[in-house]
Amino acid sequence: MVKEILVGDNPFIGVSHLSQEKAREEAREATLERRVAVLQAAVEAGGTGFTFSTHPANLELLTYMHDNHMSILKKLNYYILTPYAQHYVRLANVQGTPVMVRSLLASMVYRKTAVIDLAITLLTLDLNTLAYLLIEAQIAPYLKVLPKQNIKAILLHETVTDLATAYNLVYLFKDLDHQLRQKIGVPLGLETRNLPFLYHTLRHANYIPQYIMTPLNPLGYQMAPDRYTVERTVRKTGNETRYVAISILAAGAIKPLRAVKYLASYKHSIYAVVTASSKAYRIKSNIHCLLSLIDKNNR
Amino acid sequence: MNLCTLLPEAVKYEKFLSLDLKVAIVGFGKMGILHSGILNMLKPGTIRTVVDRDRLLIAGAARVLRNIKFYRSLEKMLSLEQPDVVYVTTPTQTHYLILCTLLENDTKNIFVEKPPTLNSEQLADLVKRLSPSHITMVGLQKRYALPFRHAKLLLESRALGEVTSIKACIKSGDIRTPTSRFDLIGRGVLLDLGIHLIDLLEWMVGIKEISEVTARSIYTKVDDYVNAVLRTNRGAEARVEVTWSSPEHRIPETLIQIAGEDGTLMVTEDCLKVSLKNPNLLLQGQREARLCKPHYYQNTPPVNLADPEYTLENLHFLRCIHEREQPETSLPRTLKAMQVIDKMYEVAQRG
């Protein structure tokens, strides 16, 4: 049963899966005031959470909310998506991958004891801990501004999830999940655009994360290998993990009403749906539409 | 228009995966990791071997990826592993020597990331060494993006009539701080990013002449911004702009606007916008259309990692290996675009 309606951050950070022209337009529109207004409108309309990448624009927004709108901040749950992959792609383009890896390691030393952790990790080539230190460094500034009990999951960005799955590195997920739960008290979630492949690999390794974020729309957009296989996986496994449905409007190619009609047949298998806009009025109307997916007793 | 026309690679693609290919990756950076990820997702266990010179990277990766053999020497890997397919994803300046080594060792199936070489002279030399049994492919993935393929079909069908003018640009925001990474290569954005645009133009309309080129550096010692006026095979003017220092561009974007006597089109990696005088079957009998990624990529490609065109180019390569056909972006077919780029650098230097 759908329990949460989350606000997504794509328009806040210049990401559009429809076109880059639209992304630039939205990024120009997404001033701090407008981003705050979107979150306010979302809360008023019945939105329950915010899922966002560890992008500087989101840190700016959440820090501002922390200082000026704590009451709104407290009303939302948080699903943090990390790492912000495009940042590292750009670094690799500018510096080359080996230099990027080294500067990444350097960026992890944000607290004094991290130097020791990192040194031990590198000397012992303990890559599980290295992965944890990387994630910890990414989310650390957000942990300072968000109400800790409202952080529900740390989700691995789809590029990392899908690449790690391609190499069958499920043990890294397992260990990361364990370390995050132990040290921060938050479970790991996985974002993917290749759900059946991921699920098959996870099940084989006997590990199912608490949350899986994946595109779900009637066009089969970003649903690899195809819509039907993804739908079948969601239906079959909705009781084993909490699905967070993204790209529900197929990047704006379909109307919210069509998306709601489509998602209604999966509402017993989905835990949350994500909607995004750079405009307060639109987020309100999207959420109003999506509320029909939530059981009235849960509202 | 059905999917077979626009996307033949995705039709019954499973049979292209039936060959038990031993694939080696040379250069385990961003692109090497991406291609190997896609290949492994298409068929688990496809990547058997990786070659990279970076000790830290190799030590770390070997520890994690236990089913893959890692080497620091290309020659050693070739003699011990004898791979069926080699992906070359190292920095551009190393491509020529690596490709020479692969051809000397008679590696039959070679994929090399763009640009294939530093200049057309190196590429022409490699082309001379190829035999008909070699299947080579350059990673010019934009060619496999469906909006560009759709635009090409429209141009081929002469839906726009005689082309009168073209405006084209490719922009990214990758280089916005000083870097010396390109000093060794001696060439900048025109070769690194511009090759996509020049290749697309050469493929769509053909380039006959280079009229003007101006290049300037902003953050590097090479060209960060290039402006040019070209002439197509049929004499239309093409205004071209290339930069990797655009603050507005989070990720690279290619934009081609073509005006013809019977219509106009505007195409990017994401969208195609067409306006024609007459209805056209390629637009499902309409005169106008605006189609974006969600319209093109429905239930395809079978693996979604980074942009869909990366999976499509890998499927294209695998299909060509299976069918023993030359890829659309084979080394010989990329030569003309590389010659245009050389000429553009010459004109820029003269100017």
Short mmCIF file of all heavy atoms in Angstrom, two decimals, chain A residues 71-93:
data_model
loop_
_atom_site.label_atom_id
_atom_site.label_comp_id
_atom_site.label_asym_id
_atom_site.label_seq_id
_atom_site.Cartn_x
_atom_site.Cartn_y
_atom_site.Cartn_z
N SER A 71 10.00 24.01 11.31
CA SER A 71 8.74 23.28 11.47
C SER A 71 8.41 22.47 10.20
O SER A 71 7.90 21.36 10.29
CB SER A 71 7.60 24.24 11.81
OG SER A 71 7.46 25.16 10.75
N ILE A 72 8.71 23.05 9.05
CA ILE A 72 8.45 22.31 7.79
C ILE A 72 9.44 21.15 7.68
O ILE A 72 9.07 20.03 7.32
CB ILE A 72 8.57 23.25 6.58
CG1 ILE A 72 7.49 24.32 6.65
CG2 ILE A 72 8.45 22.47 5.26
CD1 ILE A 72 7.62 25.40 5.62
N LEU A 73 10.68 21.45 8.00
CA LEU A 73 11.73 20.42 7.90
C LEU A 73 11.36 19.18 8.73
O LEU A 73 11.58 18.05 8.31
CB LEU A 73 13.05 21.02 8.41
CG LEU A 73 14.34 20.51 7.79
CD1 LEU A 73 14.36 20.76 6.30
CD2 LEU A 73 15.55 21.17 8.44
N LYS A 74 10.75 19.45 9.89
CA LYS A 74 10.39 18.34 10.79
C LYS A 74 9.22 17.51 10.27
O LYS A 74 9.00 16.40 10.72
CB LYS A 74 10.04 18.90 12.18
CG LYS A 74 11.25 19.24 13.02
CD LYS A 74 10.81 19.72 14.37
CE LYS A 74 12.00 20.01 15.26
NZ LYS A 74 11.60 20.72 16.48
N LYS A 75 8.44 18.10 9.36
CA LYS A 75 7.25 17.38 8.87
C LYS A 75 7.56 16.41 7.75
O LYS A 75 6.68 15.69 7.29
CB LYS A 75 6.20 18.40 8.39
CG LYS A 75 5.50 19.10 9.53
CD LYS A 75 4.48 20.08 9.02
CE LYS A 75 3.86 20.84 10.19
NZ LYS A 75 3.27 22.10 9.77
N LEU A 76 8.79 16.44 7.25
CA LEU A 76 9.12 15.60 6.10
C LEU A 76 10.06 14.45 6.48
O LEU A 76 10.89 14.59 7.39
CB LEU A 76 9.79 16.44 5.01
CG LEU A 76 8.90 17.47 4.31
CD1 LEU A 76 9.74 18.46 3.50
CD2 LEU A 76 7.87 16.80 3.40
N ASN A 77 9.91 13.35 5.76
CA ASN A 77 10.88 12.27 5.85
C ASN A 77 11.91 12.48 4.75
O ASN A 77 11.62 13.10 3.73
CB ASN A 77 10.21 10.91 5.65
CG ASN A 77 9.33 10.56 6.83
OD1 ASN A 77 9.63 10.93 7.97
ND2 ASN A 77 8.23 9.87 6.56
N TYR A 78 13.11 11.90 4.93
CA TYR A 78 14.19 12.16 3.97
C TYR A 78 14.80 10.87 3.44
O TYR A 78 15.08 9.94 4.20
CB TYR A 78 15.26 13.05 4.61
CG TYR A 78 14.67 14.38 5.00
CD1 TYR A 78 14.19 14.59 6.29
CD2 TYR A 78 14.50 15.38 4.06
CE1 TYR A 78 13.56 15.77 6.63
CE2 TYR A 78 13.87 16.57 4.39
CZ TYR A 78 13.41 16.76 5.67
OH TYR A 78 12.78 17.93 5.99
N TYR A 79 14.96 10.86 2.15
CA TYR A 79 15.57 9.73 1.44
C TYR A 79 16.74 10.32 0.65
O TYR A 79 16.53 11.00 -0.36
CB TYR A 79 14.55 9.07 0.52
CG TYR A 79 13.40 8.45 1.29
CD1 TYR A 79 12.32 9.24 1.72
CD2 TYR A 79 13.40 7.10 1.61
CE1 TYR A 79 11.27 8.68 2.44
CE2 TYR A 79 12.35 6.54 2.33
CZ TYR A 79 11.29 7.33 2.75
OH TYR A 79 10.25 6.78 3.47
N ILE A 80 17.93 10.10 1.14
CA ILE A 80 19.11 10.77 0.57
C ILE A 80 19.75 9.89 -0.50
O ILE A 80 20.10 8.74 -0.24
CB ILE A 80 20.14 11.10 1.66
CG1 ILE A 80 19.47 11.87 2.82
CG2 ILE A 80 21.30 11.90 1.08
CD1 ILE A 80 20.39 12.16 3.99
N LEU A 81 19.89 10.47 -1.68
CA LEU A 81 20.45 9.74 -2.81
C LEU A 81 21.91 10.16 -3.00
O LEU A 81 22.20 11.35 -3.15
CB LEU A 81 19.64 10.12 -4.05
CG LEU A 81 19.73 9.29 -5.30
CD1 LEU A 81 19.42 7.84 -5.01
CD2 LEU A 81 18.75 9.83 -6.33
N THR A 82 22.81 9.20 -2.98
CA THR A 82 24.21 9.55 -3.05
C THR A 82 25.01 8.45 -3.75
O THR A 82 24.54 7.31 -3.79
CB THR A 82 24.76 9.80 -1.61
OG1 THR A 82 26.01 10.45 -1.69
CG2 THR A 82 24.89 8.51 -0.81
N PRO A 83 26.16 8.69 -4.35
CA PRO A 83 26.77 10.00 -4.54
C PRO A 83 26.11 10.75 -5.71
O PRO A 83 25.41 10.13 -6.52
CB PRO A 83 28.21 9.64 -4.89
CG PRO A 83 28.13 8.28 -5.50
CD PRO A 83 26.98 7.59 -4.88
N TYR A 84 26.35 12.05 -5.78
CA TYR A 84 25.88 12.84 -6.91
C TYR A 84 26.85 12.55 -8.07
O TYR A 84 27.92 13.14 -8.17
CB TYR A 84 25.84 14.32 -6.55
CG TYR A 84 25.49 15.20 -7.74
CD1 TYR A 84 24.28 15.04 -8.42
CD2 TYR A 84 26.35 16.18 -8.19
CE1 TYR A 84 23.96 15.81 -9.51
CE2 TYR A 84 26.04 16.96 -9.29
CZ TYR A 84 24.85 16.77 -9.94
OH TYR A 84 24.53 17.53 -11.04
N ALA A 85 26.46 11.58 -8.90
CA ALA A 85 27.40 10.98 -9.86
C ALA A 85 27.97 11.97 -10.88
O ALA A 85 29.15 11.89 -11.24
CB ALA A 85 26.71 9.83 -10.58
N GLN A 86 27.14 12.91 -11.33
CA GLN A 86 27.60 13.82 -12.39
C GLN A 86 28.83 14.63 -11.96
O GLN A 86 29.70 14.95 -12.77
CB GLN A 86 26.46 14.76 -12.79
CG GLN A 86 26.73 15.61 -14.02
CD GLN A 86 27.14 14.80 -15.24
OE1 GLN A 86 26.71 13.67 -15.43
NE2 GLN A 86 28.00 15.37 -16.07
N HIS A 87 28.91 14.91 -10.67
CA HIS A 87 30.06 15.65 -10.14
C HIS A 87 31.35 14.87 -10.43
O HIS A 87 32.36 15.44 -10.83
CB HIS A 87 29.86 15.85 -8.64
CG HIS A 87 31.05 16.42 -7.94
ND1 HIS A 87 31.46 17.72 -8.11
CD2 HIS A 87 31.93 15.84 -7.08
CE1 HIS A 87 32.55 17.92 -7.37
NE2 HIS A 87 32.85 16.80 -6.74
N TYR A 88 31.30 13.56 -10.24
CA TYR A 88 32.51 12.74 -10.42
C TYR A 88 32.80 12.50 -11.90
O TYR A 88 33.96 12.40 -12.29
CB TYR A 88 32.38 11.43 -9.63
CG TYR A 88 32.28 11.74 -8.17
CD1 TYR A 88 31.07 11.70 -7.51
CD2 TYR A 88 33.40 12.18 -7.46
CE1 TYR A 88 30.97 12.06 -6.18
CE2 TYR A 88 33.31 12.54 -6.13
CZ TYR A 88 32.09 12.47 -5.50
OH TYR A 88 32.00 12.85 -4.18
N VAL A 89 31.74 12.45 -12.70
CA VAL A 89 31.94 12.31 -14.15
C VAL A 89 32.69 13.54 -14.65
O VAL A 89 33.65 13.44 -15.41
CB VAL A 89 30.58 12.16 -14.88
CG1 VAL A 89 30.76 12.25 -16.38
CG2 VAL A 89 29.93 10.85 -14.51
N ARG A 90 32.27 14.70 -14.18
CA ARG A 90 32.92 15.94 -14.61
C ARG A 90 34.37 15.99 -14.13
O ARG A 90 35.27 16.34 -14.89
CB ARG A 90 32.14 17.14 -14.07
CG ARG A 90 32.73 18.46 -14.51
CD ARG A 90 31.83 19.61 -14.14
NE ARG A 90 30.66 19.67 -14.98
CZ ARG A 90 29.62 20.46 -14.74
NH1 ARG A 90 29.60 21.22 -13.69
NH2 ARG A 90 28.61 20.48 -15.57
N LEU A 91 34.58 15.58 -12.87
CA LEU A 91 35.96 15.55 -12.35
C LEU A 91 36.84 14.63 -13.20
O LEU A 91 37.98 14.96 -13.52
CB LEU A 91 35.96 15.04 -10.91
CG LEU A 91 35.84 16.07 -9.80
CD1 LEU A 91 35.88 15.36 -8.45
CD2 LEU A 91 36.95 17.10 -9.86
N ALA A 92 36.28 13.48 -13.58
CA ALA A 92 37.04 12.53 -14.40
C ALA A 92 37.34 13.14 -15.76
O ALA A 92 38.42 12.94 -16.32
CB ALA A 92 36.26 11.23 -14.56
N ASN A 93 36.39 13.90 -16.29
CA ASN A 93 36.61 14.54 -17.59
C ASN A 93 37.74 15.57 -17.52
O ASN A 93 38.54 15.69 -18.43
CB ASN A 93 35.34 15.26 -18.07
CG ASN A 93 34.29 14.28 -18.52
OD1 ASN A 93 34.59 13.12 -18.79
ND2 ASN A 93 33.05 14.72 -18.59
#
